[in-house]
Amino acid sequence: MPGATEGRASERTGGSTAIRVENLSKTFDTAAVLHDFSLDVRAGELLALLGPSGSGKTTLLRIIAGLDFPDDGRIVFGAEDATRLPVQQRAVGFVFQHYALFKHMSVAENIAYGLNARKRSERPAKAEIKRRVGDLLDLIKLSGFADRYPSQLSGGQRQRIALARALAVEPRVLLLDEPFGALDAQVRKDLRRWLREIHDRTGQTTIFVTHDQDEALELSDRVAVLDKGRLEQVGTPDEVQEAPVSATVLKFLGDTIEVEAIAQGGEVRVDGRLTPVRAPGGLVGPVKLYARPWQLQFAEGDGAHLQGLVRSSYRTQGRQRIEVDRPEGKTVVVEAADTHRFAAGSPVGLRITGGHVFPN
Amino acid sequence: MSETFAPATLAEARPASVVTEGLWVRGLLIAVAILFLALFLVLPLVTVFAQALAKGFGAYLAAFTEADAHAAIRLTLLTAAIAVPFNLVFGIMASWAIAKFEFWGKNLLVTLIDLPFSVSPVVSGLIYVLVFGAQGLLGPWLLAHDLQVIFAVPGIVLATIFVTFPFVARQLIPLMQEQGTAEEEAALTLGASGWHAFRTVTLPNIRWGLLYSVLLCNARAMGEFGAVSVVSGHIRGLTNTLPLHVEILYNEYNFVAAFAVASLLAGLALVTLLVKSLLEWRYADEIKAGARGH
Ligand SMILES: Nc1ncnc2c1ncn2[C@@H]1O[C@H](COP(=O)(O)OP(=O)(O)O)[C@@H](O)[C@H]1O
Ligand SMILES: [Mg+2]
C-alpha cells in the first residue's frame, strides 16, 4: 500500500536528525539490557520502538529522557551532546504507561505544571498560562474538564491529559512509553488514530514504545524493531514488512508458519516441490521458510507443498482461520475466504504462495 | 410474601454461613469485650480525672500553679518541640531515600530505624548514660568542654528523639513505596527541580500520613517515661518532664496533684485518639499503606 505513507511528517521535513543514539550500553546489576545500541531519530517523525516485553524499550526511552544513564555511549540532541545533561534541561515530554498524573491537582493544574515550575524570569504570565492550557484542552478535546481531578476521569481521558501536560512545555521530542497499554481495545484504537492526527498537526518529533505490532505499523513513519537489547531493523512499516532482515523481525510482525525447505540457486523447494519464494544469493542447503497465514492456499495433488488434517476452524471478520495438523506434528494456521467450511479431520493440501527464507 | 426475614429464618436459610452462632453467644462475646474495655481502659481514665478532682476544682488548678509543675510542662513542650521536628525531617529524608532509591546498606538502615521499637526504653536510656555520662565514652571530652548531657536537658531531648525515631519513617516508607516514583519523574521531565518536585508532588501525596505519624510521635515524645527517667536525674524544676513529675508527686503521696498533672497527659492522649480517628476515617487510603508496615 504505497499511498499509506503519503504526506507523513518525515517526508515533509526532509528528515534531518533530531536525536542520535550512539553505541548505547546499559547493564542492570549483571543483566545487560542494551548492547551497543545505535539509532537515529529524524526531526518531525513518529518513530515506533517495537519489541517484546523485556527487550529494553523502556530503558532506552528513559536514557533518552535523562531518567536513567547509560554505562557507555552517547545521546545527541541535534548538535548537542546530552548524555550527561540532567533530565530538567533536556526538554523532553515523557508520557508514562500509567499516566503518572498528579492526583492532588486539577486537570488544568496538571497541564500547567511544567510552565509553573519554571524560574520566575522564564515563567509565562498567569493569563498566558491559562490560555495555553485552554488551547491544549481544545487540542485533546477535553475543553470542559479543566477543573476535574484525575480520579474523575477514564483511562483514555487521563492519558490525553498526560499528553497535553507533556506538550505544554513545548518539548523538542515527545517520548511515549506504551501510552495505550493499560487501555481496552476499542479505546486504544481511537487513541491511536487521535495520536496520529495530533502528530500530523503539530509535527512534533515523537518516539513511541509499544509491543503491539499493529499499533506500530498503523501509527508510525518508521518502526525500529528491538530484541534482547539490540536493534534488529529500522525502516518504514512497508520496508520492515516486505523485507524483514531476520526471522525474529518477521515473527514479531505477525503470525507465521515455519516450514523446512531446501534452497539452491535462488530457488526454494518444500518437499521437493518448487515454491514461488526466492532465496537470497549465497543461501544454499536446508533453510527455514516463513509464510503468513494468507500466503497459504488450499490445493490438491501436485499443486500442494504440504499435507495435513483439519483440526478446527473459526471465522473472523469475513475470513476464516483453519488450523491444520501436519504429519510431523506441527500445527499451521491458514487464513482463507469464508466460503467453504472444512470439517474437522478432513485431509487437505496446502500451497505456499509467498514468504521469506532465512538460514536454519 | 414477607420481604423481611427474622434473624432466625436468615440463619436457617444459610446454614453454611460462619456467623450462625446463637444470639446469646454473640451477646456474651460483646459483653465480655465491653467489660474488658471498661475495666482496663475506661475505668483507669475515669479514675485519673476523679482523683484529680477529688478535692474540688480549686485543688486541681493549684497543682498547675506550682513552679515545678510549670517547669515540667515547659520542659515537656521543649522536648517535644525539638524531638518531633527533628524526627519529622529525619523521617522524611530516610523514607525518601529508602522508598525511592536503591543503595548499599538499605536493609541495614531499615532495621536500624526499627531498633528503638524493639529495645526497652530503659535500655535506650542506659546506652545514653554509657555514652555521654561522666564515666561514659564521651564523658571526659564533654567534661573538658563543660558540656553536660546526662542529668540535663540535652540528654532528655536525645533520649526522646531516640525512642520516637521510628514513628515518622515507619509510617512513610510503605506509603512512599506504594506511590512509587512515576509522579516525581513526571515532574522532573517537566523541568521541575528536585526540591520543587518534592514540595509540589511528594509532600502533598504524603501529607495525611505525615500528620498522622507526627501526631503519634508527639504523643510518645510527651509521654515517654522509661528512657527519660534514666537520663534525667529527676532534678525538680530542671530535668523533670510531665511523666517524671507525676511519679515524684505520687511517691510523695500528693495524689491530687499527681492525678491532676496526669490528667494533662490523659487529655493529650484523648485528643490524639480523636484526631487520629478523624484522620483514619477521612484519609484511610493514605494512611493504611503505612499502617500495614507496623
Ligand atoms: N531498574 C532496573 N533494575 C534492574 N533491572 C531492570 C531495571 N529496569 C529494567 N530492568 C530489566 O531490564 C530489562 C529490560 O527492561 P525494559 O527496558 O523495561 O524492557 P521493555 O520496556 O522492553 O519491556 C528487563 O529484563 C528488566 O527486568
Ligand atoms: Mg516497558
Side-chain angles (χ1 to χ4, degrees):
Chain A
M1 18 167 224
T5 55
E6 243 170 44
R8 285 196 172 175
S10 58
E11 289 160 25
R12 289 201 306 265
T13 57
S16 68
T17 300
I19 301 172
R20 169 164 290 153
V21 175
E22 281 180 12
N23 311 102
L24 223 54
S25 295
K26 176 72 180 175
T27 303
F28 283 118
D29 303 325
T30 54
V33 175
L34 292 174
H35 310 259
D36 198 17
F37 191 102
S38 298
L39 177 67
D40 280 4
V41 184
R42 297 175 190 159
E45 79 172 331
L46 205 170
L47 177 81
L49 288 181
L50 177 66
S53 177
S55 55
K57 307 180 295 292
T58 298
T59 306
L60 176 62
L61 213 59
R62 289 174 59 87
I63 291 177
I64 294 173
L67 292 170
D68 245 320
F69 292 89
D71 303 333
D72 232 323
R74 298 202 312 155
I75 300 289
V76 184
F77 284 171
E80 180 191 7
D81 185 343
T83 316
R84 295 285 141 196
L85 207 60
V87 47
Q88 292 93 342
Q89 290 166 31
R90 292 202 188 187
V92 297
F94 204 104
V95 175
F96 296 81
Q97 181 172 0
H98 297 285
Y99 329 124
L101 290 180
F102 307 127
K103 298 188 270 297
H104 59 287
M105 295 183 202
S106 70
V107 164
E109 287 167 335
N110 264 281
I111 297 176
Y113 185 89
L115 298 173
N116 284 324
R118 289 186 183 166
K119 285 201 296 272
R120 200 173 296 272
S121 56
E122 293 164 20
R123 195 185 308 157
K126 273 226 162 59
E128 168 66 8
I129 292 181
K130 195 159 182 242
R131 194 187 60 74
R132 296 254 287 262
V133 169
D135 287 352
L136 283 161
L137 282 170
D138 286 344
L139 182 73
I140 59 168
K141 302 201 176 77
L142 286 174
S143 303
F145 288 70
D147 297 324
R148 299 264 194 112
Y149 282 82
S151 60
Q152 301 167 312
L153 303 175
S154 73
Q157 290 170 336
R158 287 183 204 181
Q159 200 54 296
R160 277 143 73 188
I161 304 293
L163 185 75
R165 180 179 70 176
L167 287 172
V169 293
E170 294 170 341
R172 49 183 153 189
V173 56
L174 196 56
L175 306 170
L176 303 107
D177 190 4
E178 309 217 16
F180 312 139
L183 304 170
D184 53 57
Q186 192 52 49
V187 181
R188 282 179 84 114
K189 281 205 174 137
D190 292 346
L191 281 188
R192 242 189 245 177
R193 212 158 303 136
W194 169 82
L195 180 65
R196 182 72 235 178
E197 269 175 46
I198 295 231
H199 180 262
D200 286 345
R201 200 158 345 142
T202 59
Q204 174 82 58
T205 309
T206 304
I207 307 178
F208 174 96
V209 162
T210 179
H211 64 259
D212 178 339
Q213 56 276 17
D214 290 337
E215 201 163 273
L217 296 173
E218 178 182 333
L219 206 53
S220 60
D221 297 315
R222 290 197 306 152
V223 184
V225 184
L226 272 75
D227 187 50
K228 301 194 185 78
R230 291 176 209 278
L231 181 64
E232 287 278 329
Q233 184 171 10
V234 57
T236 64
D238 289 349
E239 282 166 7
V240 293
Q241 286 179 94
E242 282 158 18
V245 299
S246 66
T248 313
V249 172
L250 186 117
K251 280 194 266 189
F252 195 63
L253 289 177
D255 292 337
T256 49
I257 292 132
E258 269 182 56
V259 182
E260 307 293 338
I262 305 286
Q264 195 163 27
E267 294 181 330
V268 178
R269 285 166 196 277
V270 171
D271 214 2
R273 297 196 177 87
L274 188 65
T275 67
V277 181
R278 302 291 301 172
L283 189 56
V284 174
V287 291
K288 274 239 165 62
L289 187 156
Y290 298 87
R292 300 290 184 204
W294 56 88
Q295 290 175 320
L296 292 179
Q297 276 177 359
F298 291 102
E300 279 166 16
D302 275 356
H305 297 105
L306 310 167
Q307 306 295 329
L309 298 174
V310 172
R311 173 201 282 256
S312 64
S313 68
Y314 67 94
R315 293 179 196 202
T316 166
Q317 299 178 16
R319 308 272 296 167
Q320 64 174 330
R321 290 200 153 204
I322 305 106
E323 292 186 340
V324 177
D325 288 333
R326 294 181 53 207
E328 71 271 21
K330 276 192 189 157
T331 302
V332 297
V333 179
V334 186
E335 196 177 298
D338 187 15
T339 44
H340 173 253
R341 301 307 302 263
F342 293 87
S346 48
V348 288
L350 295 173
R351 177 177 177 73
I352 294 164
T353 63
H356 293 88
V357 288
F358 291 105
N360 260 335
Chain B
M1 282 297 294
S2 158
E3 296 215 357
T4 49
F5 292 93
T9 351
L10 204 68
E12 275 167 19
R14 294 180 295 150
S17 166
V18 279
V19 282
T20 51
E21 272 84 10
L23 265 183
W24 68 274
V25 177
R26 233 185 302 166
L28 187 72
L29 285 175
I30 293 172
V32 168
I34 288 178
L35 196 71
F36 193 84
L37 274 177
L39 207 61
F40 287 91
L41 288 174
V42 181
L43 194 64
L45 208 57
V46 172
T47 311
V48 169
F49 287 97
Q51 290 281 346
L53 294 164
K55 293 193 178 145
F57 204 61
Y60 176 77
L61 285 184
F64 303 115
T65 54
E66 224 195 323
D68 288 350
H70 274 183
I73 292 172
R74 236 179 295 126
L75 182 57
T76 295
L77 290 178
L78 175 75
T79 306
I82 299 173
V84 174
F86 179 91
N87 281 337
L88 176 76
V89 172
F90 170 81
I92 291 176
M93 285 188 338
S95 346
W96 172 273
I98 286 166
K100 316 245 167 180
F101 301 105
E102 292 301 323
F103 56 90
W104 190 87
K106 183 163 146 171
N107 286 336
L108 186 70
L109 185 59
V110 174
T111 313
L112 279 179
I113 287 175
D114 268 351
L115 188 68
F117 273 179
S118 45
V119 172
S120 159
V122 176
V123 177
S124 316
L126 279 174
I127 293 170
Y128 278 86
V129 173
L130 289 178
V131 175
F132 296 106
Q135 267 74 51
L137 218 56
L138 300 179
W141 185 87
L142 289 170
L143 209 62
H145 291 78
D146 205 17
L147 293 170
Q148 193 173 7
V149 174
I150 299 303
F151 307 142
V153 174
I156 292 171
V157 172
L158 282 176
T160 305
I161 286 176
F162 181 81
V163 291
T164 57
F165 210 53
F167 280 98
V168 176
R170 286 196 59 162
Q171 175 75 31
L172 293 188
I173 290 169
L175 189 60
M176 285 186 170
Q177 274 172 340
E178 187 172 278
Q179 290 179 342
T181 49
E183 282 185 46
E184 280 86 0
E185 286 182 343
L188 297 184
T189 61
L190 292 167
S193 65
W195 173 241
H196 187 80
F198 176 76
R199 261 191 322 112
T200 55
V201 176
T202 312
L203 217 48
N205 274 338
I206 59 168
R207 60 194 155 179
W208 299 115
L210 191 64
L211 185 59
Y212 181 85
S213 64
V214 163
L215 202 68
L216 297 184
C217 182
N218 181 61
R220 180 69 188 270
M222 291 191 170
E224 173 57 23
F225 179 82
V228 170
S229 172
V230 177
V231 296
S232 138
H234 305 265
I235 306 164
R236 279 186 157 213
L238 280 180
T239 64
N240 261 350
T241 60
L242 276 179
L244 301 182
H245 192 58
V246 172
E247 192 204 18
I248 290 181
L249 292 171
Y250 187 83
N251 287 343
E252 289 170 349
Y253 304 103
N254 192 348
F255 294 135
V256 168
F259 281 107
V261 177
S263 74
L264 274 189
L265 290 169
L268 171 74
L270 286 176
V271 170
T272 303
L273 198 68
L274 186 76
V275 181
K276 175 172 172 285
S277 308
L278 272 178
L279 284 176
E280 278 170 352
W281 167 70
R282 181 71 182 76
Y283 303 103
D285 298 350
E286 282 182 41
I287 290 165
K288 71 172 190 286
R292 252 182 269 128
H294 282 277

